[in-house]
Amino acid sequence: MSVYNQNRGGIIQIIIGTIFFLIVGQLVSLQIVSNKYKLAADNNAIYRKIIYPDRGIIYDRKKRALLENTISYDLVVIPNEAKGVDTAALCDILRIDKEEYSKRIVEAIIKNTRVKAGVFEPFLTPELYAQLNENLYRFPGFSLSERSIRNYPYNTAAQVLGYVAEVDVNFLKKHESEGYEMGDYAGITGLEKNYESVLMGQRGVKRFLRDNKGKIQGPYEKGEFDTVAVAGKNLYTSIDVQVQQLAEKLLQNKIGSAVAINPKTGGVIAMASSPGYNPNLLTGSQRRKTIGRLLLDTSRPLYNRAIKGQYPPGSTFKPLGALIALDEGLITPNYGYNCFGSYGACGDPRKCEHHNAGHAANLQLALAYSCNSYFLQVFRMAIDNPKYKSAKAGYLKWKEYMNAFGFGRKLGVDLPSENKANIPDTAQYNRDFGNPRYWNSCYMLTLGIGQDRMTATPLQLANSMAFIANEGYYYTPHFVDSIESETEEEAEQLAPFRTKQKVTKIPKEYFDVIKEGMHDVTVYGTAAFIKVPGHEYCAKTGTAQNPHGKNHSLFVCFAPKDNPKIAVAVIVENAGYGSTWAGPIGGLLMEQYLNDTLTIESKLKADNLSQVDLMPQAIKNWYVQHNKAAYMAPIEYNNDELSDVWDMEMLAEGVVKTKAKDTTPPAPTPLPNSDKTNKDSLLPNTDKKKRLKP
């Protein structure tokens, strides 16, 4: 044999040997090392049934369940076993055609493969469940799976609580390591989303042995590998369901928001955004019909204006502007400013509402009468402060105060998607006015009265009242006070809400001045006609200019004056004066919380306010044009316990009749002449207050 043939034979032997060792190695890997095919075989032989736990309950401050769990059933299918199905009977029961049947089978395969159970018909009605249960033997491969769904007994706080829905592919990618599967449900918005890991609990699994035809023969290994479902933990919140329902009622037929906070803890008592929706509409089978409608609604009922709406704070900002000037030593409580109806120091006269002499003779009077000229001047003094040598440096110091007060940044409330609103940066003014050497306070003058490019969310405004009420600190606003059987990890999650935010070192005596001025607002100032039975309170009205329509109505307050337990901010869009619409709403919310009830007179006032229609005409026109007038129907609070307070029916008497210009304020009560009448003379003898010494 030639050398050439000998070499070729050796090469062939090497190739054959290599192939042999590769085959043996692969066999060893498949049969001994790898469990891939073992798992596949097990999946064919073992039926794995998920046991969904009850989600945790969310309670209000008085341990009333804001949401509960009820049992629902899904019809599920294992496509590989759905053979010999009486499809005509099944389609007849479900009221679908054979095309829809085939489509759903394909969807189940795509979502969960052929050998895993997928939902075929979710959230069965009791009648449908009974029919299917009787005929299930006719539908091999189909079974009934139990699941708990949410129920909202008070029909309230939808945007706060959020909703639960089936997870999608994007959700699974984001939470890949957390064990979710197609067909699972999770919190999508609100507290349901923010506390998903606490509320969801732990799913259980039961395993059943199947024969070669896929029929279940019994428990696998006598249940040795089964796991028990663990219910989710309960959340205990600071929400007061009665105040929450009242806020939603008062904002009916309006666009706006109301937020109430406990200054002592930072706990949110109520957060209403209008228009809203009944949370029960996004549970069970109703969700499919409702979610599209809500997403297309031009009034955006899914949008939580309390944390996402951005509004010019208007005159509600003035107490904070005064605090800055006091702390910087630019003014004293006795500082006065002559104003006769306009501010012209910047060459472009800005009109103001008051002309009577002496209405801004000191800080308290200026707050009570809400004098624009006074606070424009105070703002200019802060920006052009000689201590900082330039308007830019003065502005940056002013912005530092604003950020410390909680404006222009996220507060960190325990809801997803909070907006930070806007305190403009100097870069914005540099773009508009050039080098900062060439601009000064006159270029941003209306920031001093809460306008220009300044915006705030209702939550930020309520928090600023908590800051003043506490005389220099606040707790981060939050809903959840505690978690059932709290772990160290959960305590760490809540730690930011239990930490006092001491953000400035403004002396207490300056807060006393501001409080007195805000109390004057409620005695003889712009909110003198708004009373809270049994309590003195502090407030500030605001009417913010709106480039897109009528002015916004704003009101901020806290009560009681000397021991604040509630701080409130109310905004009603396109409604005009703050004292006319937002003010009465804020007063009723304080009364409900502090007195735990409303007087007969206040109940009538609440009913009347709820009937006032301040919805912008453009939105009404959209409803009419799209044949969706039914969307404007008010939310019904089917709550027997509170029916006497929350009755949503039209009253035969006392209903407010609105006109074309329904935002026109009532004729103002003549303000007292400072030479003849002082504030104390307007108070009952038992309510005489100590005036600050000059």
Side-chain angles (χ1 to χ4, degrees), residues 58-106:
I58 301 178
Y59 294 94
D60 88 335
R61 72 186 187 98
K62 294 183 178 179
K63 304 298 186 291
R64 293 171 290 202
L66 296 169
L67 51 74
E68 300 171 332
N69 294 313
T70 58
I71 298 300
S72 178
Y73 288 90
D74 298 337
L75 178 65
V76 299
V77 62
I78 301 174
N80 218 33
E81 298 178 10
K83 297 171 183 176
V85 176
D86 188 343
T87 54
L90 182 57
C91 289
D92 185 55
I93 292 173
L94 297 178
R95 296 183 180 178
I96 61 174
D97 55 30
K98 290 190 177 181
E99 271 187 40
E100 179 65 19
Y101 173 88
S102 300
K103 179 184 172 184
R104 292 188 186 185
I105 290 291
V106 171

Short mmCIF file of all heavy atoms in Angstrom, two decimals, residues 58-106:
data_model
loop_
_atom_site.label_atom_id
_atom_site.label_comp_id
_atom_site.label_asym_id
_atom_site.label_seq_id
_atom_site.Cartn_x
_atom_site.Cartn_y
_atom_site.Cartn_z
N ILE A 58 -56.46 47.18 51.26
CA ILE A 58 -56.02 48.54 51.59
C ILE A 58 -57.10 49.19 52.46
O ILE A 58 -58.26 49.26 52.06
CB ILE A 58 -55.77 49.38 50.32
CG1 ILE A 58 -54.69 48.71 49.45
CG2 ILE A 58 -55.36 50.80 50.68
CD1 ILE A 58 -54.40 49.43 48.15
N TYR A 59 -56.69 49.64 53.65
CA TYR A 59 -57.63 50.22 54.62
C TYR A 59 -57.43 51.72 54.75
O TYR A 59 -56.34 52.24 54.52
CB TYR A 59 -57.43 49.58 55.99
CG TYR A 59 -57.79 48.11 56.06
CD1 TYR A 59 -56.82 47.13 55.87
CD2 TYR A 59 -59.10 47.71 56.32
CE1 TYR A 59 -57.14 45.78 55.93
CE2 TYR A 59 -59.42 46.35 56.39
CZ TYR A 59 -58.45 45.41 56.20
OH TYR A 59 -58.77 44.07 56.25
N ASP A 60 -58.50 52.41 55.16
CA ASP A 60 -58.35 53.84 55.44
C ASP A 60 -57.93 54.02 56.89
O ASP A 60 -57.65 53.05 57.61
CB ASP A 60 -59.65 54.60 55.09
CG ASP A 60 -60.67 54.65 56.22
OD1 ASP A 60 -60.65 53.76 57.10
OD2 ASP A 60 -61.49 55.58 56.25
N ARG A 61 -57.88 55.27 57.35
CA ARG A 61 -57.31 55.54 58.68
C ARG A 61 -58.16 54.96 59.81
O ARG A 61 -57.67 54.76 60.91
CB ARG A 61 -57.13 57.05 58.87
CG ARG A 61 -58.40 57.84 59.06
CD ARG A 61 -58.14 59.34 59.10
NE ARG A 61 -59.33 60.10 59.44
CZ ARG A 61 -59.62 60.56 60.64
NH1 ARG A 61 -58.79 60.34 61.65
NH2 ARG A 61 -60.73 61.24 60.86
N LYS A 62 -59.44 54.68 59.53
CA LYS A 62 -60.31 54.09 60.54
C LYS A 62 -60.53 52.60 60.31
O LYS A 62 -61.49 52.01 60.79
CB LYS A 62 -61.66 54.82 60.56
CG LYS A 62 -61.55 56.27 61.01
CD LYS A 62 -62.93 56.92 61.08
CE LYS A 62 -62.83 58.35 61.58
NZ LYS A 62 -64.16 59.02 61.63
N LYS A 63 -59.63 52.00 59.58
CA LYS A 63 -59.63 50.55 59.29
C LYS A 63 -60.85 50.12 58.48
O LYS A 63 -61.32 48.99 58.59
CB LYS A 63 -59.57 49.73 60.60
CG LYS A 63 -58.38 50.06 61.48
CD LYS A 63 -57.06 49.76 60.82
CE LYS A 63 -55.87 49.94 61.74
NZ LYS A 63 -55.60 51.32 62.11
N ARG A 64 -61.35 51.01 57.64
CA ARG A 64 -62.41 50.66 56.71
C ARG A 64 -61.77 50.22 55.40
O ARG A 64 -60.87 50.91 54.89
CB ARG A 64 -63.35 51.85 56.48
CG ARG A 64 -64.15 52.24 57.70
CD ARG A 64 -64.91 53.54 57.53
NE ARG A 64 -64.01 54.69 57.49
CZ ARG A 64 -64.39 55.94 57.76
NH1 ARG A 64 -65.66 56.19 58.09
NH2 ARG A 64 -63.52 56.94 57.69
N ALA A 65 -62.20 49.08 54.86
CA ALA A 65 -61.58 48.52 53.65
C ALA A 65 -61.97 49.34 52.43
O ALA A 65 -63.13 49.40 52.05
CB ALA A 65 -61.99 47.07 53.47
N LEU A 66 -60.98 50.00 51.81
CA LEU A 66 -61.23 50.76 50.60
C LEU A 66 -61.41 49.85 49.40
O LEU A 66 -62.04 50.21 48.42
CB LEU A 66 -60.07 51.73 50.35
CG LEU A 66 -59.87 52.82 51.41
CD1 LEU A 66 -58.54 53.53 51.19
CD2 LEU A 66 -61.01 53.81 51.38
N LEU A 67 -60.81 48.67 49.47
CA LEU A 67 -61.03 47.66 48.45
C LEU A 67 -60.97 46.28 49.09
O LEU A 67 -60.35 46.09 50.14
CB LEU A 67 -60.02 47.78 47.32
CG LEU A 67 -58.51 47.86 47.62
CD1 LEU A 67 -57.95 46.53 48.04
CD2 LEU A 67 -57.77 48.40 46.42
N GLU A 68 -61.67 45.35 48.50
CA GLU A 68 -61.74 43.98 49.03
C GLU A 68 -61.50 43.00 47.88
O GLU A 68 -61.36 43.41 46.72
CB GLU A 68 -63.12 43.73 49.65
CG GLU A 68 -63.46 44.66 50.80
CD GLU A 68 -64.91 44.55 51.24
OE1 GLU A 68 -65.75 44.18 50.38
OE2 GLU A 68 -65.19 44.83 52.40
N ASN A 69 -61.49 41.71 48.22
CA ASN A 69 -61.35 40.67 47.21
C ASN A 69 -62.65 39.88 47.10
O ASN A 69 -63.28 39.56 48.11
CB ASN A 69 -60.22 39.71 47.57
CG ASN A 69 -58.86 40.37 47.53
OD1 ASN A 69 -58.53 41.07 46.58
ND2 ASN A 69 -58.07 40.18 48.57
N THR A 70 -63.05 39.59 45.88
CA THR A 70 -64.17 38.68 45.65
C THR A 70 -63.70 37.57 44.72
O THR A 70 -62.74 37.76 43.96
CB THR A 70 -65.37 39.40 45.03
OG1 THR A 70 -64.96 40.01 43.79
CG2 THR A 70 -65.90 40.48 45.96
N ILE A 71 -64.37 36.43 44.78
CA ILE A 71 -63.97 35.27 43.98
C ILE A 71 -64.55 35.37 42.58
O ILE A 71 -65.73 35.68 42.39
CB ILE A 71 -64.42 33.97 44.65
CG1 ILE A 71 -63.76 33.81 46.01
CG2 ILE A 71 -64.08 32.77 43.76
CD1 ILE A 71 -62.25 33.78 45.98
N SER A 72 -63.71 35.10 41.59
CA SER A 72 -64.15 35.01 40.21
C SER A 72 -63.54 33.75 39.60
O SER A 72 -62.59 33.19 40.15
CB SER A 72 -63.70 36.25 39.43
OG SER A 72 -64.08 36.14 38.08
N TYR A 73 -64.09 33.32 38.49
CA TYR A 73 -63.58 32.12 37.82
C TYR A 73 -63.25 32.43 36.37
O TYR A 73 -63.93 33.22 35.71
CB TYR A 73 -64.61 30.98 37.87
CG TYR A 73 -64.77 30.38 39.24
CD1 TYR A 73 -65.71 30.90 40.13
CD2 TYR A 73 -63.98 29.31 39.66
CE1 TYR A 73 -65.85 30.36 41.40
CE2 TYR A 73 -64.12 28.77 40.93
CZ TYR A 73 -65.07 29.29 41.79
OH TYR A 73 -65.20 28.76 43.05
N ASP A 74 -62.15 31.81 35.91
CA ASP A 74 -61.77 31.88 34.49
C ASP A 74 -61.98 30.51 33.88
O ASP A 74 -61.79 29.47 34.55
CB ASP A 74 -60.29 32.25 34.33
CG ASP A 74 -59.96 33.62 34.90
OD1 ASP A 74 -60.88 34.45 35.02
OD2 ASP A 74 -58.77 33.85 35.23
N LEU A 75 -62.36 30.48 32.62
CA LEU A 75 -62.36 29.24 31.85
C LEU A 75 -60.99 29.16 31.18
O LEU A 75 -60.62 30.03 30.40
CB LEU A 75 -63.46 29.25 30.80
CG LEU A 75 -63.51 28.00 29.90
CD1 LEU A 75 -63.87 26.76 30.71
CD2 LEU A 75 -64.50 28.20 28.76
N VAL A 76 -60.22 28.11 31.52
CA VAL A 76 -58.87 27.96 30.96
C VAL A 76 -58.80 26.72 30.08
O VAL A 76 -59.62 25.80 30.21
CB VAL A 76 -57.80 27.87 32.09
CG1 VAL A 76 -57.80 29.14 32.92
CG2 VAL A 76 -58.03 26.65 32.97
N VAL A 77 -57.82 26.72 29.18
CA VAL A 77 -57.69 25.61 28.24
C VAL A 77 -56.23 25.22 28.09
O VAL A 77 -55.35 26.08 28.12
CB VAL A 77 -58.29 25.99 26.87
CG1 VAL A 77 -57.55 27.18 26.25
CG2 VAL A 77 -58.28 24.80 25.91
N ILE A 78 -56.01 23.91 27.96
CA ILE A 78 -54.70 23.39 27.55
C ILE A 78 -54.87 22.95 26.10
O ILE A 78 -55.51 21.92 25.83
CB ILE A 78 -54.26 22.21 28.44
CG1 ILE A 78 -54.19 22.65 29.90
CG2 ILE A 78 -52.92 21.67 27.97
CD1 ILE A 78 -53.90 21.51 30.86
N PRO A 79 -54.37 23.73 25.15
CA PRO A 79 -54.65 23.47 23.73
C PRO A 79 -54.35 22.05 23.27
O PRO A 79 -55.09 21.48 22.46
CB PRO A 79 -53.74 24.49 23.00
CG PRO A 79 -53.60 25.61 23.99
CD PRO A 79 -53.55 24.95 25.33
N ASN A 80 -53.28 21.46 23.80
CA ASN A 80 -52.91 20.11 23.38
C ASN A 80 -53.94 19.07 23.77
O ASN A 80 -53.99 17.98 23.19
CB ASN A 80 -51.55 19.75 24.00
CG ASN A 80 -50.69 18.96 23.05
OD1 ASN A 80 -50.76 19.15 21.85
ND2 ASN A 80 -49.90 18.05 23.59
N GLU A 81 -54.76 19.39 24.78
CA GLU A 81 -55.75 18.43 25.26
C GLU A 81 -57.15 18.74 24.76
O GLU A 81 -58.09 17.99 25.02
CB GLU A 81 -55.75 18.44 26.80
CG GLU A 81 -54.43 18.01 27.39
CD GLU A 81 -54.44 18.08 28.91
OE1 GLU A 81 -55.53 18.26 29.50
OE2 GLU A 81 -53.37 17.95 29.52
N ALA A 82 -57.29 19.88 24.06
CA ALA A 82 -58.62 20.29 23.59
C ALA A 82 -58.98 19.54 22.31
O ALA A 82 -59.06 20.13 21.22
CB ALA A 82 -58.65 21.80 23.38
N LYS A 83 -59.20 18.21 22.45
CA LYS A 83 -59.55 17.37 21.31
C LYS A 83 -60.89 16.70 21.58
O LYS A 83 -61.15 16.23 22.68
CB LYS A 83 -58.47 16.31 21.09
CG LYS A 83 -57.11 16.94 20.73
CD LYS A 83 -56.00 15.91 20.73
CE LYS A 83 -54.65 16.57 20.44
NZ LYS A 83 -53.53 15.61 20.53
N GLY A 84 -61.72 16.67 20.57
CA GLY A 84 -63.05 16.11 20.74
C GLY A 84 -63.99 17.04 21.47
O GLY A 84 -64.97 16.59 22.09
N VAL A 85 -63.70 18.34 21.44
CA VAL A 85 -64.53 19.33 22.13
C VAL A 85 -65.82 19.56 21.35
O VAL A 85 -65.81 19.66 20.12
CB VAL A 85 -63.76 20.66 22.28
CG1 VAL A 85 -64.65 21.73 22.90
CG2 VAL A 85 -62.51 20.46 23.11
N ASP A 86 -66.93 19.61 22.05
CA ASP A 86 -68.21 19.98 21.44
C ASP A 86 -68.19 21.50 21.25
O ASP A 86 -68.75 22.26 22.05
CB ASP A 86 -69.36 19.55 22.34
CG ASP A 86 -70.72 19.74 21.67
OD1 ASP A 86 -70.79 20.48 20.67
OD2 ASP A 86 -71.72 19.19 22.18
N THR A 87 -67.53 21.94 20.18
CA THR A 87 -67.31 23.37 19.98
C THR A 87 -68.62 24.13 19.79
O THR A 87 -68.74 25.28 20.21
CB THR A 87 -66.39 23.61 18.78
OG1 THR A 87 -66.92 22.94 17.64
CG2 THR A 87 -64.99 23.11 19.06
N ALA A 88 -69.60 23.48 19.17
CA ALA A 88 -70.89 24.16 18.95
C ALA A 88 -71.54 24.50 20.28
O ALA A 88 -72.05 25.62 20.48
CB ALA A 88 -71.80 23.28 18.11
N ALA A 89 -71.51 23.54 21.22
CA ALA A 89 -72.12 23.77 22.53
C ALA A 89 -71.35 24.84 23.30
O ALA A 89 -71.95 25.72 23.95
CB ALA A 89 -72.16 22.47 23.33
N LEU A 90 -70.01 24.78 23.26
CA LEU A 90 -69.19 25.75 23.99
C LEU A 90 -69.41 27.16 23.44
O LEU A 90 -69.56 28.13 24.20
CB LEU A 90 -67.72 25.37 23.90
CG LEU A 90 -66.74 26.27 24.66
CD1 LEU A 90 -67.08 26.34 26.14
CD2 LEU A 90 -65.31 25.78 24.48
N CYS A 91 -69.42 27.27 22.10
CA CYS A 91 -69.63 28.58 21.48
C CYS A 91 -71.01 29.13 21.82
O CYS A 91 -71.18 30.34 22.01
CB CYS A 91 -69.47 28.49 19.97
SG CYS A 91 -67.76 28.23 19.44
N ASP A 92 -71.97 28.25 21.90
CA ASP A 92 -73.34 28.67 22.24
C ASP A 92 -73.41 29.22 23.67
O ASP A 92 -74.05 30.24 23.92
CB ASP A 92 -74.30 27.49 22.07
CG ASP A 92 -75.74 27.91 22.27
OD1 ASP A 92 -76.20 28.85 21.59
OD2 ASP A 92 -76.41 27.31 23.15
N ILE A 93 -72.73 28.55 24.59
CA ILE A 93 -72.74 29.00 25.99
C ILE A 93 -72.02 30.35 26.12
O ILE A 93 -72.49 31.25 26.81
CB ILE A 93 -72.06 27.95 26.89
CG1 ILE A 93 -72.93 26.68 26.96
CG2 ILE A 93 -71.83 28.50 28.30
CD1 ILE A 93 -72.27 25.52 27.68
N LEU A 94 -70.87 30.47 25.42
CA LEU A 94 -70.08 31.70 25.53
C LEU A 94 -70.55 32.80 24.59
O LEU A 94 -70.05 33.93 24.65
CB LEU A 94 -68.60 31.40 25.24
CG LEU A 94 -67.90 30.43 26.19
CD1 LEU A 94 -66.46 30.20 25.74
CD2 LEU A 94 -67.91 30.97 27.62
N ARG A 95 -71.49 32.44 23.70
CA ARG A 95 -72.02 33.39 22.72
C ARG A 95 -70.90 33.94 21.82
O ARG A 95 -70.75 35.14 21.65
CB ARG A 95 -72.77 34.52 23.41
CG ARG A 95 -74.01 34.04 24.15
CD ARG A 95 -74.78 35.18 24.75
NE ARG A 95 -75.95 34.68 25.46
CZ ARG A 95 -76.82 35.44 26.13
NH1 ARG A 95 -76.63 36.75 26.18
NH2 ARG A 95 -77.86 34.91 26.73
N ILE A 96 -70.13 33.02 21.28
CA ILE A 96 -69.10 33.37 20.31
C ILE A 96 -69.27 32.45 19.11
O ILE A 96 -69.99 31.44 19.17
CB ILE A 96 -67.68 33.23 20.89
CG1 ILE A 96 -67.41 31.77 21.31
CG2 ILE A 96 -67.46 34.18 22.06
CD1 ILE A 96 -65.97 31.50 21.77
N ASP A 97 -68.61 32.78 17.99
CA ASP A 97 -68.67 31.90 16.82
C ASP A 97 -67.41 31.04 16.75
O ASP A 97 -66.49 31.20 17.56
CB ASP A 97 -68.86 32.71 15.54
CG ASP A 97 -67.79 33.79 15.35
OD1 ASP A 97 -66.65 33.58 15.82
OD2 ASP A 97 -68.09 34.83 14.75
N LYS A 98 -67.36 30.14 15.78
CA LYS A 98 -66.24 29.21 15.69
C LYS A 98 -64.94 29.91 15.30
O LYS A 98 -63.85 29.47 15.66
CB LYS A 98 -66.56 28.09 14.69
CG LYS A 98 -67.64 27.14 15.23
CD LYS A 98 -67.79 25.91 14.36
CE LYS A 98 -68.82 24.96 14.96
NZ LYS A 98 -68.98 23.73 14.15
N GLU A 99 -65.06 31.01 14.57
CA GLU A 99 -63.86 31.78 14.23
C GLU A 99 -63.22 32.34 15.49
O GLU A 99 -62.00 32.30 15.66
CB GLU A 99 -64.24 32.95 13.29
CG GLU A 99 -64.19 32.58 11.83
CD GLU A 99 -64.40 33.80 10.95
OE1 GLU A 99 -63.87 34.88 11.29
OE2 GLU A 99 -65.09 33.67 9.94
N GLU A 100 -64.05 32.87 16.38
CA GLU A 100 -63.55 33.41 17.64
C GLU A 100 -62.95 32.29 18.50
O GLU A 100 -61.93 32.49 19.17
CB GLU A 100 -64.67 34.12 18.40
CG GLU A 100 -64.29 34.70 19.75
CD GLU A 100 -63.27 35.83 19.66
OE1 GLU A 100 -63.12 36.42 18.56
OE2 GLU A 100 -62.63 36.14 20.68
N TYR A 101 -63.58 31.13 18.47
CA TYR A 101 -63.05 29.98 19.21
C TYR A 101 -61.63 29.66 18.74
O TYR A 101 -60.71 29.51 19.56
CB TYR A 101 -63.97 28.77 19.01
CG TYR A 101 -63.42 27.48 19.59
CD1 TYR A 101 -63.66 27.12 20.91
CD2 TYR A 101 -62.64 26.62 18.81
CE1 TYR A 101 -63.15 25.95 21.45
CE2 TYR A 101 -62.12 25.44 19.33
CZ TYR A 101 -62.37 25.11 20.66
OH TYR A 101 -61.85 23.95 21.18
N SER A 102 -61.45 29.55 17.44
CA SER A 102 -60.12 29.22 16.89
C SER A 102 -59.11 30.30 17.22
O SER A 102 -57.94 30.02 17.54
CB SER A 102 -60.22 29.05 15.37
OG SER A 102 -61.12 28.02 15.05
N LYS A 103 -59.54 31.55 17.14
CA LYS A 103 -58.65 32.68 17.44
C LYS A 103 -58.16 32.61 18.88
O LYS A 103 -56.97 32.82 19.17
CB LYS A 103 -59.40 33.99 17.20
CG LYS A 103 -58.60 35.23 17.51
CD LYS A 103 -59.46 36.48 17.33
CE LYS A 103 -58.73 37.72 17.82
NZ LYS A 103 -59.58 38.93 17.74
N ARG A 104 -59.06 32.28 19.80
CA ARG A 104 -58.67 32.22 21.21
C ARG A 104 -57.73 31.05 21.49
O ARG A 104 -56.84 31.14 22.34
CB ARG A 104 -59.92 32.11 22.09
CG ARG A 104 -60.76 33.37 22.08
CD ARG A 104 -61.87 33.29 23.12
NE ARG A 104 -62.77 34.43 23.03
CZ ARG A 104 -63.77 34.65 23.89
NH1 ARG A 104 -63.98 33.79 24.90
NH2 ARG A 104 -64.55 35.71 23.75
N ILE A 105 -57.92 29.94 20.81
CA ILE A 105 -57.02 28.79 20.96
C ILE A 105 -55.61 29.18 20.51
O ILE A 105 -54.61 28.88 21.18
CB ILE A 105 -57.52 27.56 20.16
CG1 ILE A 105 -58.80 26.99 20.80
CG2 ILE A 105 -56.44 26.49 20.09
CD1 ILE A 105 -58.60 26.33 22.15
N VAL A 106 -55.52 29.86 19.38
CA VAL A 106 -54.22 30.31 18.87
C VAL A 106 -53.57 31.26 19.86
O VAL A 106 -52.36 31.17 20.14
CB VAL A 106 -54.39 30.97 17.48
CG1 VAL A 106 -53.08 31.64 17.05
CG2 VAL A 106 -54.83 29.95 16.45
#
